[in-house]
Amino acid sequence: MLDPKYFREELEQTATQLKKRGFVLEVEKIRALEAERKILQSQTQDLQAERNTRSKSIGQAKARGEDVAPLMTAVNDLGEKLKENELKLAAIQEQLHAIYSCVPNITHESVPVGKDETENREEHRWGKIPEFTFPVKDHVDLGVTKDRMNFDLAAKITGARFVVLKAELARLQRALIQFMLDTHTQEHGYTETYVPYLANRDSLFGTTQLPKFEEDQFFTNAEQGYALIPTAEVPLTNIFRDVIIEADQLPIKLTAHTPCFRKEAGSYGKDTRGMIRQHQFEKVELVQIVRPEDSYQAHEKLTRHAETILEKLELPYRRITLCTGDIGFGSAKTYDLEVWLPSQNTYREISSCSNFEAFQARRMQARWRNPVTGKPELVHTLNGSGLAVGRTLVAIMENYQQEDGSIIVPTVLQKYVGIEKIA
RNA sequence: GGAAGCGUGGCAGAGCGGUUGAAUGCACCGGUCUUGAAAACCGGCGUGGGGCAACCCAUCGUGAGUUCGAAUCUCACCGCUUCCGCCA
């Protein structure tokens, strides 16, 4: 959520900013609603003030033992007018809130302006792309052939876009989780956190999955309105909803491994083969809560933390800055990390690291006490995948494959897996 | 599942339906005192919104209701605690 002041005092500039994203702000509608709101609000407040003073005087008169009946009839008339105004005002505020809840964040000045993913900016590449002297297989061939990856079983148990992993591959995935958590907690200063995998609507609103992305969530049932988390960002960030954090507690750095559940509503034909796009996948998430002035430095660091995992695993990758047309709804700036996938002869997203500035914090009322002003002020929130575990598994299988279909286990993982090679 | 209780400011904790936005304590900020600190004393101190401002409005878990007037009464919901039962 943007600061309401943007809509009240700088409507035109805000609309211009948002246009970069391809978002059309309903300027005239907002202007009209805000004008109406302003009139109704001050009228309502005047009526309330009058009611308050009159009621107060009734109390005083009563205390003096006077007859209050005439005073009371005088206030009676106020009631109806007041109630009517209050209802109108509430309706307008609801409309405004509905509009504002669907307005995306304004992007940082360093974000390239562009219409779609073709205009994202590559920042750098790391690692040497492996050269194979034999026809490369994709992770499906590598996994299914030896019955360590089974999509038919998952389809039987549940449906499309799930997987069953067995033996060394199941173990390798667990090893990856362990390795990532160990690295982030021991080397990058994050606190390991265990969280619920179901989140309520307030939490989903706080991290901007609602109201715009209702269709992407798996809800348990209508009464409860709990959803399976689409990312650990939701529970981790919402820990600080309605919290005022003491200045000396910042920055807060949390990491968690969780499964993630996504309907993938808008991607029916996409990545139907293999583990790239699943309804359920494992992820290790990084979340930081920081002082506003520190958030861009924190964003660089957090992205480096994710990159470190790729480097330790010796997986070739590149970093790109998402352009204004491709960046996520709530983000002011996002780096995507893309890992090399030999079977696709291209880089594929494996991590997305975003600075939300105060966008989520405003929705959540996540604040810190600024010692300079002594007042509670909104924090900045950041998060990034560190990394998407399923895709990391895919990347390892494909990059480390041998001619005979075996897979070398990356050196840093060997102590976790207990073997050097998956035969 | 059954029974009882509780949700008030950063925390603890008062609060006859009427000058209560809310006592008191702690914490915090400023000052006096002190070589310095502590203690003591004095003053300040919730949040959100509107207004240039004086000031006004809202807010005591959430939402409805009763009333001229609700933190205080009624109902529903949410959350928490305790006891019993059940399961592990």
Side-chain angles (χ1 to χ4, degrees), chain A residues 197-324:
Chain A
Y197 299 163
L198 290 170
N200 62 32
R201 298 188 70 92
D202 285 344
S203 294
L204 292 162
F205 179 80
T207 33
T208 71
Q209 281 75 26
L210 292 182
K212 273 210 81 177
F213 307 103
E214 176 115 25
E215 297 315 308
D216 289 323
Q217 318 303 327
F218 284 107
F219 278 91
T220 49
N221 62 55
E223 302 87 76
Q224 283 184 313
Y226 294 163
L228 288 160
I229 56 171
T231 159
E233 164 196 351
V234 176
L236 284 178
T237 312
N238 274 284
I239 287 173
F240 303 97
R241 175 151 50 84
D242 295 319
V243 171
I244 298 173
I245 304 161
E246 290 308 322
D248 61 7
Q249 300 296 303
L250 296 175
I252 292 167
K253 297 159 77 177
L254 301 181
T255 184
H257 151 248
T258 70
C260 303
F261 302 90
R262 299 184 182 178
K263 276 197 176 171
E264 297 295 347
S267 50
Y268 286 121
K270 258 187 181 170
D271 300 313
T272 47
R273 180 178 164 87
M275 281 182 68
I276 295 291
R277 195 175 297 277
Q278 302 268 280
H279 287 313
Q280 173 185 321
F281 62 95
E282 305 303 304
K283 184 155 63 68
V284 170
E285 183 76 355
L286 304 173
V287 162
Q288 290 200 27
I289 313 289
V290 304
R291 301 181 183 209
E293 64 265 30
D294 296 336
S295 72
Y296 278 92
Q297 201 186 1
H299 186 221
E300 297 299 323
K301 283 192 203 157
L302 182 145
T303 307
R304 279 300 302 151
H305 296 152
E307 286 177 343
T308 300
I309 299 294
L310 287 163
E311 290 171 19
K312 282 177 183 272
L313 293 170
E314 298 179 74
L315 291 169
Y317 71 91
R318 63 175 188 170
R319 183 203 288 200
I320 59 173
T321 304
L322 297 188
C323 74
T324 52

Side-chain angles (χ1 to χ4, degrees), chain A residues 101-134:
Chain A
S101 298
C102 294
V103 174
N105 202 357
I106 288 172
T107 47
H108 189 254
E109 57 188 12
S110 64
V111 172
V113 177
K115 60 181 183 315
D116 57 32
E117 67 274 8
T118 59
E119 298 188 67
N120 291 339
R121 182 175 68 213
E122 180 173 312
E123 302 295 342
H124 57 248
R125 295 182 182 206
W126 183 95
K128 193 167 153 278
I129 288 170
E131 286 168 28
F132 295 95
T133 56
F134 53 88

